Amino acid sequence: MVNLEWYRTFKAIYSTGTLTGAAQTLFISQPGVSLHLSSLESYVGYKLFDRTARKMIPTEKGKVFYNAIIEPLIKLEEAEKNFQKSTEKQTPTISVGMCFETFQITLEQYISSLPFNVIIQFGQYPEMLENLEKGILDLIITPQKGTSTEIDHEAFSSETIVMVGGSEIDDHVFNAFLADGDLDILEAWLKQQKWYGTTGDMEHLRRFWQLNFNKYPDFRPNYIVPNLNSIVRCLSSGKGLAIIPDFLCKKEVESGLVKILWNGKKELTNTLYFGTKKKTMYASETDVIKKLFREVMN
């Protein structure tokens, strides 16, 4: 059976000419608009729009379909307005992109208290920047700035990439080697330790090693776990080393479960940015999330 919301979405796309415009009209996400349209096209058995870079152009069959449904759909919407219990504005929905670990440390604990709907998307930073520019995302948290003139990047915090160890690691030995200044001996000792890493992500380790030892690491972590927060939990219960952003282990360091062994000869620091489109109808909602991030991370 066809879903009535598919008709509403079709009408909104037809009227606005874009998926983004339809999403804003209906107060739903752009992926939701795309899903409704593809479902309706599958149901009727033919394309309703030709997709171009800037416009959704109705096909001939799409025009015929629009003329067939528009009058009864308008009557139904009018009836709905006449019989609805209130005239309250629909709750807006915003889409936010960030890495999984950042979400767990910051926004996860506040989700249930937000006065609007939120869709969280995890992914790689270049993909998030692209989806922000397309209007699929309304806000991203990223250490990378894009080049689009339509995007605002607002610096709000920074992260330092550090070497951390479990509470049982012998940091006296490490500090002695570090004080001697012989980087070859220090590197050899480090490579004898147990290391933690995440699936497919060696970026922090590679950059830290290159900066401090002038080479890329020639070893693989002993334990590969799902994400950086898993590394912190594993280190909290024993020995081991890892290279991670400092804010991810702030609480564990303060409680003595994890040690920051080394910031490196030169600190490896990333600036964190809020990314938003310059023209957005969700400025007040994104400001709420920005405020939460500043409170948690600064």
Side-chain angles (χ1 to χ4, degrees):
M1 180 179 294
V2 69
N3 187 327
L4 180 60
E5 294 305 315
W6 300 350
Y7 289 143
R8 294 181 193 268
T9 301
F10 170 77
K11 173 175 170 279
I13 298 172
Y14 198 100
S15 301
T16 64
T18 65
L19 298 179
T20 301
Q24 293 173 346
T25 299
L26 298 170
F27 292 98
I28 63 176
S29 67
Q30 186 170 319
V33 170
S34 299
L35 178 60
H36 286 182
L37 177 59
S38 62
S39 299
L40 182 59
E41 288 180 329
S42 297
Y43 182 82
V44 300
Y46 47 79
K47 284 179 62 177
L48 298 172
F49 293 95
D50 287 321
R51 296 156 174 81
T52 68
R54 295 184 175 272
K55 197 81 172 173
M56 297 289 286
I57 302 174
T59 63
E60 289 304 313
K61 288 188 176 181
K63 294 176 183 178
V64 172
F65 186 76
Y66 178 83
N67 291 329
I69 64 115
I70 187 61
E71 186 175 349
L73 185 58
I74 289 175
K75 288 182 177 180
L76 185 59
E77 289 175 342
E78 289 176 350
E80 182 183 31
K81 289 179 182 178
N82 291 333
F83 286 95
Q84 66 186 1
K85 291 183 179 180
S86 70
T87 57
E88 289 184 3
K89 199 177 174 184
Q90 286 186 325
T91 302
T93 299
I94 68 168
S95 298
V96 184
M98 68 189 80
C99 75
F100 177 73
E101 294 88 348
T102 300
F103 170 72
Q104 282 193 313
I105 293 294
T106 56
L107 196 57
E108 186 177 54
Q109 59 188 312
Y110 297 107
I111 279 288
S112 63
S113 66
L114 295 175
F116 45 83
N117 302 325
V118 179
I119 299 172
I120 302 296
Q121 183 181 104
F122 305 126
Q124 301 298 315
Y125 295 119
E127 179 188 4
M128 289 187 209
L129 284 165
E130 182 179 347
N131 286 341
L132 177 64
E133 188 172 357
K134 290 179 179 177
I136 297 175
L137 291 172
D138 302 299
L139 169 68
I140 63 172
I141 289 81
T142 173
Q144 300 177 8
K145 294 177 67 173
T147 57
S148 172
T149 56
E150 297 181 4
I151 303 299
D152 273 332
H153 291 90
E154 178 186 352
F156 71 95
S157 187
S158 63
E159 60 181 15
T160 301
I161 309 304
V162 296
M163 180 185 296
V164 298
S167 59
E168 297 181 14
I169 197 76
D170 190 351
D171 53 347
H172 296 293
V173 175
F174 171 81
N175 290 330
F177 286 138
L178 186 62
D180 288 342
D182 191 326
L183 292 180
D184 290 334
I185 294 177
L186 179 63
E187 183 187 24
W189 182 85
L190 289 172
K191 288 162 64 174
Q192 292 173 4
Q193 309 309 306
K194 299 296 184 182
W195 283 85
Y196 286 86
T198 58
T199 307
D201 183 9
M202 294 277 287
E203 183 64 21
H204 293 321
L205 178 59
R206 281 196 295 264
R207 291 175 63 199
F208 189 91
W209 222 259
Q210 175 67 26
L211 184 62
N212 290 287
F213 298 106
N214 299 315
K215 65 176 78 169
Y216 288 114
D218 57 358
F219 65 95
R220 297 284 298 179
N222 305 87
Y223 309 115
I224 302 297
V225 296
N227 56 67
L228 296 177
N229 288 334
S230 297
I231 290 178
V232 175
R233 288 192 291 271
C234 291
L235 289 176
S236 298
S237 61
K239 299 179 180 180
L241 297 173
I243 306 295
I244 63 173
D246 59 348
F247 80 91
L248 291 180
C249 60
K250 182 179 178 181
K251 290 183 179 179
E252 288 77 9
V253 170
E254 291 174 350
S255 62
L257 296 173
V258 169
K259 303 174 183 178
I260 295 182
L261 293 185
W262 194 24
N263 286 19
K265 294 186 298 182
K266 297 180 181 178
E267 286 195 350
L268 177 57
T269 302
N270 295 324
T271 300
L272 299 178
Y273 300 92
F274 295 126
T276 55
K277 294 201 75 171
K278 291 184 177 179
K279 295 181 179 180
T280 175
M281 62 185 296
Y282 299 121
S284 60
E285 287 79 15
T286 56
D287 282 347
V288 171
I289 293 181
K290 289 177 181 180
K291 181 180 178 182
L292 288 174
F293 266 86
R294 290 190 181 97
E295 291 174 352
V296 173
M297 298 188 65
N298 294 316

